[in-house]
Amino acid sequence: MNFTETLKKIRTEKGYSQQTLAKKAGVSQTAVYNWEKGERKPKLEQLRRIAAALDVTIGELNPDWNSFSADEVNSDLQYGLPLDELGLLQDYRILNETGKSEARKRTEELTKIPEYRKDTE
């Protein structure tokens, strides 16, 4: 199964419309439509947002890694972090100071809930 088929399959399994996925991923509905039709391919940053919105890994979306430039991939890997963590970092950097403060508070709250911690699995 290729990216376009996988994207549509996962989206529909989640019960999301193209519009819903677009909103959750911070992209346009037209972009989702074009990706599902195979008319365009998402940029790596967009792919990361799609995966997060669908609660899957980037690998599960079955992207064509050759469609990304070496510069684009190297830019993501510069911090030595997994792609999903880099996505969180990019999202964090979009926030203003108030938003960053709130994100830190919420992350700290989540670390105190045993069901969300790795060490309690």
Side-chain angles (χ1 to χ4, degrees), residues 107-120:
T107 301
E108 185 178 332
E109 290 169 359
L110 287 171
T111 63
K112 294 177 182 175
I113 302 171
E115 69 185 271
Y116 297 129
R117 296 178 56 100
K118 282 196 235 180
D119 59 356
T120 59

PDB file of all heavy atoms in Angstrom, residues 107-120:
ATOM      1  N   THR A 107       2.762  19.573  30.175  1.00  0.00           N
ATOM      2  CA  THR A 107       3.689  18.450  30.089  1.00  0.00           C
ATOM      3  C   THR A 107       4.060  17.971  31.488  1.00  0.00           C
ATOM      4  O   THR A 107       4.093  16.767  31.759  1.00  0.00           O
ATOM      5  CB  THR A 107       4.955  18.852  29.305  1.00  0.00           C
ATOM      6  OG1 THR A 107       4.573  19.266  28.000  1.00  0.00           O
ATOM      7  CG2 THR A 107       5.933  17.695  29.200  1.00  0.00           C
ATOM      8  N   GLU A 108       4.318  18.908  32.379  1.00  0.00           N
ATOM      9  CA  GLU A 108       4.646  18.540  33.760  1.00  0.00           C
ATOM     10  C   GLU A 108       3.475  17.794  34.407  1.00  0.00           C
ATOM     11  O   GLU A 108       3.669  16.801  35.107  1.00  0.00           O
ATOM     12  CB  GLU A 108       4.979  19.787  34.574  1.00  0.00           C
ATOM     13  CG  GLU A 108       5.437  19.489  35.983  1.00  0.00           C
ATOM     14  CD  GLU A 108       5.819  20.736  36.762  1.00  0.00           C
ATOM     15  OE1 GLU A 108       6.234  21.730  36.132  1.00  0.00           O
ATOM     16  OE2 GLU A 108       5.685  20.708  37.993  1.00  0.00           O
ATOM     17  N   GLU A 109       2.257  18.243  34.155  1.00  0.00           N
ATOM     18  CA  GLU A 109       1.076  17.565  34.697  1.00  0.00           C
ATOM     19  C   GLU A 109       0.994  16.125  34.172  1.00  0.00           C
ATOM     20  O   GLU A 109       0.709  15.198  34.929  1.00  0.00           O
ATOM     21  CB  GLU A 109      -0.200  18.317  34.314  1.00  0.00           C
ATOM     22  CG  GLU A 109      -0.370  19.640  35.012  1.00  0.00           C
ATOM     23  CD  GLU A 109      -1.514  20.476  34.419  1.00  0.00           C
ATOM     24  OE1 GLU A 109      -2.164  20.022  33.450  1.00  0.00           O
ATOM     25  OE2 GLU A 109      -1.722  21.579  34.925  1.00  0.00           O
ATOM     26  N   LEU A 110       1.239  15.951  32.870  1.00  0.00           N
ATOM     27  CA  LEU A 110       1.160  14.617  32.281  1.00  0.00           C
ATOM     28  C   LEU A 110       2.200  13.667  32.880  1.00  0.00           C
ATOM     29  O   LEU A 110       1.940  12.471  33.040  1.00  0.00           O
ATOM     30  CB  LEU A 110       1.338  14.682  30.769  1.00  0.00           C
ATOM     31  CG  LEU A 110       0.151  15.244  29.990  1.00  0.00           C
ATOM     32  CD1 LEU A 110       0.533  15.469  28.532  1.00  0.00           C
ATOM     33  CD2 LEU A 110      -1.042  14.328  30.094  1.00  0.00           C
ATOM     34  N   THR A 111       3.366  14.185  33.215  1.00  0.00           N
ATOM     35  CA  THR A 111       4.401  13.318  33.778  1.00  0.00           C
ATOM     36  C   THR A 111       4.031  12.812  35.162  1.00  0.00           C
ATOM     37  O   THR A 111       4.606  11.838  35.640  1.00  0.00           O
ATOM     38  CB  THR A 111       5.765  14.033  33.863  1.00  0.00           C
ATOM     39  OG1 THR A 111       5.667  15.144  34.759  1.00  0.00           O
ATOM     40  CG2 THR A 111       6.234  14.489  32.492  1.00  0.00           C
ATOM     41  N   LYS A 112       3.067  13.422  35.800  1.00  0.00           N
ATOM     42  CA  LYS A 112       2.641  13.001  37.139  1.00  0.00           C
ATOM     43  C   LYS A 112       1.517  11.971  37.101  1.00  0.00           C
ATOM     44  O   LYS A 112       1.149  11.424  38.132  1.00  0.00           O
ATOM     45  CB  LYS A 112       2.204  14.221  37.951  1.00  0.00           C
ATOM     46  CG  LYS A 112       3.357  15.164  38.238  1.00  0.00           C
ATOM     47  CD  LYS A 112       2.902  16.397  38.972  1.00  0.00           C
ATOM     48  CE  LYS A 112       4.091  17.326  39.190  1.00  0.00           C
ATOM     49  NZ  LYS A 112       3.705  18.580  39.793  1.00  0.00           N
ATOM     50  N   ILE A 113       0.997  11.672  35.930  1.00  0.00           N
ATOM     51  CA  ILE A 113      -0.091  10.704  35.792  1.00  0.00           C
ATOM     52  C   ILE A 113       0.512   9.359  35.398  1.00  0.00           C
ATOM     53  O   ILE A 113       1.068   9.211  34.305  1.00  0.00           O
ATOM     54  CB  ILE A 113      -1.119  11.182  34.741  1.00  0.00           C
ATOM     55  CG1 ILE A 113      -1.679  12.553  35.143  1.00  0.00           C
ATOM     56  CG2 ILE A 113      -2.230  10.145  34.565  1.00  0.00           C
ATOM     57  CD1 ILE A 113      -2.543  13.202  34.074  1.00  0.00           C
ATOM     58  N   PRO A 114       0.418   8.370  36.285  1.00  0.00           N
ATOM     59  CA  PRO A 114       1.082   7.076  36.048  1.00  0.00           C
ATOM     60  C   PRO A 114       0.746   6.422  34.709  1.00  0.00           C
ATOM     61  O   PRO A 114       1.631   5.833  34.078  1.00  0.00           O
ATOM     62  CB  PRO A 114       0.602   6.210  37.216  1.00  0.00           C
ATOM     63  CG  PRO A 114       0.262   7.188  38.288  1.00  0.00           C
ATOM     64  CD  PRO A 114      -0.257   8.408  37.576  1.00  0.00           C
ATOM     65  N   GLU A 115      -0.485   6.515  34.242  1.00  0.00           N
ATOM     66  CA  GLU A 115      -0.849   5.823  32.999  1.00  0.00           C
ATOM     67  C   GLU A 115      -0.146   6.389  31.768  1.00  0.00           C
ATOM     68  O   GLU A 115      -0.134   5.754  30.718  1.00  0.00           O
ATOM     69  CB  GLU A 115      -2.361   5.829  32.794  1.00  0.00           C
ATOM     70  CG  GLU A 115      -2.937   7.203  32.491  1.00  0.00           C
ATOM     71  CD  GLU A 115      -4.449   7.183  32.411  1.00  0.00           C
ATOM     72  OE1 GLU A 115      -4.976   6.954  31.310  1.00  0.00           O
ATOM     73  OE2 GLU A 115      -5.080   7.389  33.454  1.00  0.00           O
ATOM     74  N   TYR A 116       0.450   7.580  31.875  1.00  0.00           N
ATOM     75  CA  TYR A 116       1.160   8.175  30.748  1.00  0.00           C
ATOM     76  C   TYR A 116       2.675   8.010  30.841  1.00  0.00           C
ATOM     77  O   TYR A 116       3.395   8.448  29.963  1.00  0.00           O
ATOM     78  CB  TYR A 116       0.820   9.663  30.633  1.00  0.00           C
ATOM     79  CG  TYR A 116      -0.618   9.929  30.344  1.00  0.00           C
ATOM     80  CD1 TYR A 116      -1.345  10.814  31.125  1.00  0.00           C
ATOM     81  CD2 TYR A 116      -1.277   9.284  29.298  1.00  0.00           C
ATOM     82  CE1 TYR A 116      -2.685  11.049  30.879  1.00  0.00           C
ATOM     83  CE2 TYR A 116      -2.619   9.513  29.055  1.00  0.00           C
ATOM     84  CZ  TYR A 116      -3.309  10.390  29.839  1.00  0.00           C
ATOM     85  OH  TYR A 116      -4.634  10.629  29.582  1.00  0.00           O
ATOM     86  N   ARG A 117       3.151   7.387  31.885  1.00  0.00           N
ATOM     87  CA  ARG A 117       4.591   7.237  32.097  1.00  0.00           C
ATOM     88  C   ARG A 117       5.102   5.884  31.612  1.00  0.00           C
ATOM     89  O   ARG A 117       4.453   4.871  31.813  1.00  0.00           O
ATOM     90  CB  ARG A 117       4.921   7.414  33.582  1.00  0.00           C
ATOM     91  CG  ARG A 117       4.616   8.811  34.093  1.00  0.00           C
ATOM     92  CD  ARG A 117       4.933   8.896  35.580  1.00  0.00           C
ATOM     93  NE  ARG A 117       6.293   8.516  35.870  1.00  0.00           N
ATOM     94  CZ  ARG A 117       7.288   9.366  36.072  1.00  0.00           C
ATOM     95  NH1 ARG A 117       7.047  10.659  36.070  1.00  0.00           N
ATOM     96  NH2 ARG A 117       8.502   8.937  36.328  1.00  0.00           N
ATOM     97  N   LYS A 118       6.272   5.890  30.998  1.00  0.00           N
ATOM     98  CA  LYS A 118       6.880   4.645  30.545  1.00  0.00           C
ATOM     99  C   LYS A 118       7.253   3.730  31.700  1.00  0.00           C
ATOM    100  O   LYS A 118       7.146   2.523  31.592  1.00  0.00           O
ATOM    101  CB  LYS A 118       8.174   4.950  29.764  1.00  0.00           C
ATOM    102  CG  LYS A 118       7.964   5.415  28.365  1.00  0.00           C
ATOM    103  CD  LYS A 118       9.283   5.274  27.652  1.00  0.00           C
ATOM    104  CE  LYS A 118       9.727   6.553  27.036  1.00  0.00           C
ATOM    105  NZ  LYS A 118      10.990   6.446  26.338  1.00  0.00           N
ATOM    106  N   ASP A 119       7.684   4.338  32.794  1.00  0.00           N
ATOM    107  CA  ASP A 119       8.178   3.520  33.898  1.00  0.00           C
ATOM    108  C   ASP A 119       7.071   2.834  34.699  1.00  0.00           C
ATOM    109  O   ASP A 119       7.352   2.098  35.635  1.00  0.00           O
ATOM    110  CB  ASP A 119       9.054   4.349  34.853  1.00  0.00           C
ATOM    111  CG  ASP A 119       8.324   5.532  35.462  1.00  0.00           C
ATOM    112  OD1 ASP A 119       7.166   5.782  35.117  1.00  0.00           O
ATOM    113  OD2 ASP A 119       8.945   6.225  36.290  1.00  0.00           O
ATOM    114  N   THR A 120       5.822   3.060  34.318  1.00  0.00           N
ATOM    115  CA  THR A 120       4.713   2.396  35.008  1.00  0.00           C
ATOM    116  C   THR A 120       3.940   1.446  34.091  1.00  0.00           C
ATOM    117  O   THR A 120       2.895   0.942  34.451  1.00  0.00           O
ATOM    118  CB  THR A 120       3.737   3.420  35.617  1.00  0.00           C
ATOM    119  OG1 THR A 120       3.216   4.242  34.571  1.00  0.00           O
ATOM    120  CG2 THR A 120       4.417   4.248  36.677  1.00  0.00           C
TER     121      THR A 120
END
